[in-house]
Amino acid sequence: MEIIKVFSPATIGNIGPGFDVLGLAIKGLGDVVEARKISSGIVVKANGSKWNVPLNSRENTASIAAQHVLDILGEKGGIEITLTKGLPIGSGLGSSAASAAAGAFAANYLYGNRLSKEELILPATKAEAVVSGGFFADNTAPALLGGATLTRSCEPLDVTRIGSIDALKLVIVIPDLVVLTKDARAILPKFVNLHNFVMNMANTALITAAFSKNDYGLFSRCLNDAIIEPVRSTLIRGYHTVRDKALEAGADGMAISGSGPTLFAITNSMEKAKAIQKAMVQGFKENDVHAESHITEVDREGTRLLPK
Ligand code: HSE
């Protein structure tokens, strides 16, 4: 019986001002799904995870996505999924989306590989919606496709891969705090100030241009969210200290990754990235928060098979 191994990367979604529309896959962090066909049903197992991975197939995004794919394919068979979580749950790094993307990819691959990665975005996004409290593809789309993506519409789903930036170094700092996406969405304003809306729209448009032109200089000017970040920053102890320290250390911008609490800063210099990393971790430490950190770059490939 064929067993496959699938990797799906962590994602930043939203990228700064692009709330629910701009997402980015990042290298080095992600979830792994090992999967095999079984005669019927979906079975989920967890491989040595320190996080509480739901083993009920109706609550785990990998199995929910796999079931959606089997339904689309009209397959009556089942699948056994063994999930190795590389991403902390509730971190803002697209943990549920990575599992969903890997589950969707695995089911499709085992049952004839008839759907494109683009066609897997919808089942993966539906699966993520079960746990996130909202229907958005800014994590599932980059997790599947790699690079940066833009979601024009969720209903019907319309997602475009917009490219990557070779020079971009991302400093990812994951504090030891948990912020659930549904809580971070519940506090958002229902109405926004027109001036802030115009600023966010301009910055979002420019980020799209920057990724499609592979232009770090453009990106470095527009990582600024005037609407969502000021509200969500209140959920992250030490946010202001860490932001100030990142910018003092030479970052060209800093933002909350997804709904937080992970923060990411940008630069195009490895030397600066190391200084920024140290400064951001120190900023959390001064607020009595332990933080893990990584320096990474864009994952251009997205969800893929790993060698067995
Ligand atoms: N776009 C979503 C949000 C992603 O910011 O709420 C959550 O990871």
Side-chain angles (χ1 to χ4, degrees):
M1 181 70 76
E2 186 185 20
I3 298 184
I4 58 163
K5 211 173 182 181
V6 176
F7 172 80
S8 191
T11 44
I12 289 172
N14 337 294
I15 312 175
F19 179 67
D20 279 358
V21 300
L22 280 176
L24 179 66
I26 59 177
K27 238 186 203 164
L29 299 165
D31 284 356
V32 174
V33 152
E34 282 169 88
R36 67 182 180 99
K37 277 182 175 178
I38 53 176
S39 54
S40 64
I42 311 265
V43 175
V44 191
K45 296 179 175 174
N47 194 6
S49 176
K50 55 181 174 181
W51 296 285
N52 264 345
V53 177
L55 297 179
N56 179 333
S57 65
R58 285 188 298 274
E59 292 170 9
N60 187 302
T61 57
S63 44
I64 302 169
Q67 183 64 65
H68 284 317
V69 169
L70 296 184
D71 292 344
I72 295 169
L73 295 174
E75 292 288 350
K76 300 280 174 262
I79 182 166
E80 181 188 271
I81 285 173
T82 305
L83 179 59
T84 306
K85 286 296 297 173
L87 295 174
I89 293 169
S91 62
L93 285 170
S95 176
S96 335
S99 296
F105 186 99
N108 180 48
Y109 190 87
L110 286 173
Y111 282 89
N113 215 9
R114 282 172 274 153
L115 302 176
S116 66
K117 275 189 175 181
E118 284 76 6
E119 288 169 315
L120 296 177
I121 298 172
L122 186 59
T125 306
K126 280 185 178 170
E128 196 199 347
V130 174
V131 299
S132 69
F135 188 83
F136 42 79
D138 56 344
N139 292 110
T140 50
L144 279 158
L145 305 182
T149 59
L150 188 132
T151 308
R152 184 196 65 79
S153 144
C154 283
E155 194 74 62
L157 196 60
D158 181 355
V159 176
T160 302
R161 188 182 187 282
I162 49 177
S164 185
I165 297 179
D166 295 337
L168 175 61
K169 304 268 175 273
L170 295 151
V171 181
I172 310 282
V173 180
I174 312 169
D176 210 354
L177 304 168
V178 173
V179 174
L180 293 180
T181 299
K182 55 180 177 225
D183 299 335
R185 294 180 82 81
I187 60 167
L188 296 178
K190 298 280 173 285
F191 299 96
V192 301
N193 170 289
L194 187 62
H195 173 78
N196 289 341
F197 164 74
V198 171
M199 199 195 296
N200 268 33
M201 183 179 56
N203 282 328
T204 300
L206 200 61
I207 292 176
T208 307
F211 276 91
S212 62
K213 292 166 74 170
N214 193 357
D215 186 336
Y216 178 78
L218 276 189
F219 184 41
S220 70
R221 307 208 308 264
C222 46
L223 191 59
N224 192 5
D225 170 9
I227 298 172
I228 308 294
E229 188 139 340
V231 181
R232 285 185 166 171
S233 61
T234 60
L235 300 175
I236 305 170
R237 190 157 86 234
Y239 168 90
H240 290 286
T241 320
V242 176
R243 183 183 169 85
D244 291 348
K245 283 191 179 288
L247 298 178
E248 271 164 32
D252 291 315
M254 193 211 80
I256 299 175
S257 178
S259 55
T262 294
L263 303 179
F264 72 98
I266 61 165
T267 177
N268 58 356
S269 141
M270 186 45 108
E271 206 186 321
K272 276 192 193 168
K274 288 180 189 160
I276 295 163
Q277 178 182 33
K278 208 167 148 200
M280 290 174 75
V281 171
Q282 177 62 26
F284 272 121
K285 196 170 169 199
E286 286 173 16
N287 287 273
D288 299 319
V289 178
H290 172 76
E292 190 190 305
S293 59
H294 304 267
I295 297 174
T296 183
E297 55 193 64
V298 179
D299 178 311
R300 288 165 185 75
E301 222 183 316
T303 305
R304 58 214 179 239
L305 275 186
L306 290 180
K308 284 173 209 160

PDB file of all heavy atoms in Angstrom, residues 283-295:
ATOM      1  N   GLY A 283      13.044  42.352  23.130  1.00  0.00           N
ATOM      2  CA  GLY A 283      11.842  43.161  23.391  1.00  0.00           C
ATOM      3  C   GLY A 283      10.766  42.349  24.101  1.00  0.00           C
ATOM      4  O   GLY A 283      10.125  42.816  25.045  1.00  0.00           O
ATOM      5  N   PHE A 284      10.577  41.110  23.652  1.00  0.00           N
ATOM      6  CA  PHE A 284       9.601  40.250  24.344  1.00  0.00           C
ATOM      7  C   PHE A 284      10.095  39.907  25.746  1.00  0.00           C
ATOM      8  O   PHE A 284       9.319  39.919  26.697  1.00  0.00           O
ATOM      9  CB  PHE A 284       9.337  38.970  23.533  1.00  0.00           C
ATOM     10  CG  PHE A 284       8.227  39.126  22.513  1.00  0.00           C
ATOM     11  CD1 PHE A 284       8.450  38.919  21.161  1.00  0.00           C
ATOM     12  CD2 PHE A 284       6.937  39.492  22.921  1.00  0.00           C
ATOM     13  CE1 PHE A 284       7.422  39.072  20.235  1.00  0.00           C
ATOM     14  CE2 PHE A 284       5.905  39.639  22.001  1.00  0.00           C
ATOM     15  CZ  PHE A 284       6.158  39.427  20.654  1.00  0.00           C
ATOM     16  N   LYS A 285      11.397  39.634  25.840  1.00  0.00           N
ATOM     17  CA  LYS A 285      11.965  39.248  27.144  1.00  0.00           C
ATOM     18  C   LYS A 285      11.722  40.362  28.170  1.00  0.00           C
ATOM     19  O   LYS A 285      11.373  40.101  29.324  1.00  0.00           O
ATOM     20  CB  LYS A 285      13.466  38.989  26.970  1.00  0.00           C
ATOM     21  CG  LYS A 285      14.077  38.229  28.109  1.00  0.00           C
ATOM     22  CD  LYS A 285      15.477  37.780  27.782  1.00  0.00           C
ATOM     23  CE  LYS A 285      16.146  37.253  29.041  1.00  0.00           C
ATOM     24  NZ  LYS A 285      17.590  37.218  28.889  1.00  0.00           N
ATOM     25  N   GLU A 286      11.898  41.597  27.735  1.00  0.00           N
ATOM     26  CA  GLU A 286      11.671  42.728  28.648  1.00  0.00           C
ATOM     27  C   GLU A 286      10.221  42.791  29.120  1.00  0.00           C
ATOM     28  O   GLU A 286       9.888  43.480  30.074  1.00  0.00           O
ATOM     29  CB  GLU A 286      12.054  44.048  27.961  1.00  0.00           C
ATOM     30  CG  GLU A 286      13.552  44.206  27.864  1.00  0.00           C
ATOM     31  CD  GLU A 286      13.983  45.414  27.044  1.00  0.00           C
ATOM     32  OE1 GLU A 286      13.143  46.306  26.796  1.00  0.00           O
ATOM     33  OE2 GLU A 286      15.160  45.444  26.643  1.00  0.00           O
ATOM     34  N   ASN A 287       9.334  42.112  28.399  1.00  0.00           N
ATOM     35  CA  ASN A 287       7.924  42.054  28.793  1.00  0.00           C
ATOM     36  C   ASN A 287       7.568  40.684  29.378  1.00  0.00           C
ATOM     37  O   ASN A 287       6.394  40.291  29.380  1.00  0.00           O
ATOM     38  CB  ASN A 287       7.039  42.367  27.588  1.00  0.00           C
ATOM     39  CG  ASN A 287       7.082  43.835  27.235  1.00  0.00           C
ATOM     40  OD1 ASN A 287       6.323  44.631  27.777  1.00  0.00           O
ATOM     41  ND2 ASN A 287       7.995  44.217  26.338  1.00  0.00           N
ATOM     42  N   ASP A 288       8.621  39.961  29.820  1.00  0.00           N
ATOM     43  CA  ASP A 288       8.448  38.641  30.446  1.00  0.00           C
ATOM     44  C   ASP A 288       7.804  37.616  29.529  1.00  0.00           C
ATOM     45  O   ASP A 288       7.014  36.769  29.973  1.00  0.00           O
ATOM     46  CB  ASP A 288       7.618  38.736  31.739  1.00  0.00           C
ATOM     47  CG  ASP A 288       8.299  39.616  32.766  1.00  0.00           C
ATOM     48  OD1 ASP A 288       9.533  39.491  32.883  1.00  0.00           O
ATOM     49  OD2 ASP A 288       7.612  40.428  33.393  1.00  0.00           O
ATOM     50  N   VAL A 289       8.090  37.734  28.244  1.00  0.00           N
ATOM     51  CA  VAL A 289       7.533  36.752  27.296  1.00  0.00           C
ATOM     52  C   VAL A 289       8.698  36.050  26.600  1.00  0.00           C
ATOM     53  O   VAL A 289       9.564  36.704  26.003  1.00  0.00           O
ATOM     54  CB  VAL A 289       6.638  37.445  26.233  1.00  0.00           C
ATOM     55  CG1 VAL A 289       6.106  36.425  25.228  1.00  0.00           C
ATOM     56  CG2 VAL A 289       5.492  38.191  26.889  1.00  0.00           C
ATOM     57  N   HIS A 290       8.700  34.724  26.681  1.00  0.00           N
ATOM     58  CA  HIS A 290       9.725  33.970  25.962  1.00  0.00           C
ATOM     59  C   HIS A 290       9.326  33.907  24.483  1.00  0.00           C
ATOM     60  O   HIS A 290       8.149  33.766  24.162  1.00  0.00           O
ATOM     61  CB  HIS A 290       9.832  32.546  26.550  1.00  0.00           C
ATOM     62  CG  HIS A 290      10.721  31.671  25.740  1.00  0.00           C
ATOM     63  ND1 HIS A 290      12.091  31.774  25.787  1.00  0.00           N
ATOM     64  CD2 HIS A 290      10.432  30.718  24.822  1.00  0.00           C
ATOM     65  CE1 HIS A 290      12.614  30.909  24.936  1.00  0.00           C
ATOM     66  NE2 HIS A 290      11.633  30.253  24.336  1.00  0.00           N
ATOM     67  N   ALA A 291      10.299  34.021  23.589  1.00  0.00           N
ATOM     68  CA  ALA A 291       9.966  33.947  22.157  1.00  0.00           C
ATOM     69  C   ALA A 291      10.985  33.110  21.404  1.00  0.00           C
ATOM     70  O   ALA A 291      12.188  33.154  21.687  1.00  0.00           O
ATOM     71  CB  ALA A 291       9.909  35.353  21.563  1.00  0.00           C
ATOM     72  N   GLU A 292      10.466  32.358  20.437  1.00  0.00           N
ATOM     73  CA  GLU A 292      11.313  31.572  19.530  1.00  0.00           C
ATOM     74  C   GLU A 292      11.466  32.413  18.259  1.00  0.00           C
ATOM     75  O   GLU A 292      10.543  33.165  17.927  1.00  0.00           O
ATOM     76  CB  GLU A 292      10.520  30.301  19.214  1.00  0.00           C
ATOM     77  CG  GLU A 292      11.237  29.208  18.504  1.00  0.00           C
ATOM     78  CD  GLU A 292      10.229  28.150  18.066  1.00  0.00           C
ATOM     79  OE1 GLU A 292       9.490  27.655  18.948  1.00  0.00           O
ATOM     80  OE2 GLU A 292      10.180  27.859  16.877  1.00  0.00           O
ATOM     81  N   SER A 293      12.580  32.292  17.562  1.00  0.00           N
ATOM     82  CA  SER A 293      12.725  33.145  16.376  1.00  0.00           C
ATOM     83  C   SER A 293      13.426  32.421  15.225  1.00  0.00           C
ATOM     84  O   SER A 293      14.185  31.479  15.444  1.00  0.00           O
ATOM     85  CB  SER A 293      13.509  34.402  16.749  1.00  0.00           C
ATOM     86  OG  SER A 293      14.776  34.025  17.234  1.00  0.00           O
ATOM     87  N   HIS A 294      13.164  32.899  14.033  1.00  0.00           N
ATOM     88  CA  HIS A 294      13.752  32.318  12.827  1.00  0.00           C
ATOM     89  C   HIS A 294      14.041  33.427  11.824  1.00  0.00           C
ATOM     90  O   HIS A 294      13.275  34.393  11.747  1.00  0.00           O
ATOM     91  CB  HIS A 294      12.757  31.362  12.133  1.00  0.00           C
ATOM     92  CG  HIS A 294      12.257  30.273  13.024  1.00  0.00           C
ATOM     93  ND1 HIS A 294      12.854  29.029  13.085  1.00  0.00           N
ATOM     94  CD2 HIS A 294      11.232  30.249  13.902  1.00  0.00           C
ATOM     95  CE1 HIS A 294      12.200  28.290  13.954  1.00  0.00           C
ATOM     96  NE2 HIS A 294      11.216  29.005  14.471  1.00  0.00           N
ATOM     97  N   ILE A 295      15.110  33.233  11.067  1.00  0.00           N
ATOM     98  CA  ILE A 295      15.328  34.112   9.907  1.00  0.00           C
ATOM     99  C   ILE A 295      15.071  33.244   8.685  1.00  0.00           C
ATOM    100  O   ILE A 295      15.654  32.164   8.550  1.00  0.00           O
ATOM    101  CB  ILE A 295      16.766  34.663   9.882  1.00  0.00           C
ATOM    102  CG1 ILE A 295      17.012  35.532  11.117  1.00  0.00           C
ATOM    103  CG2 ILE A 295      17.011  35.454   8.596  1.00  0.00           C
ATOM    104  CD1 ILE A 295      18.434  36.018  11.271  1.00  0.00           C
TER     105      ILE A 295
END
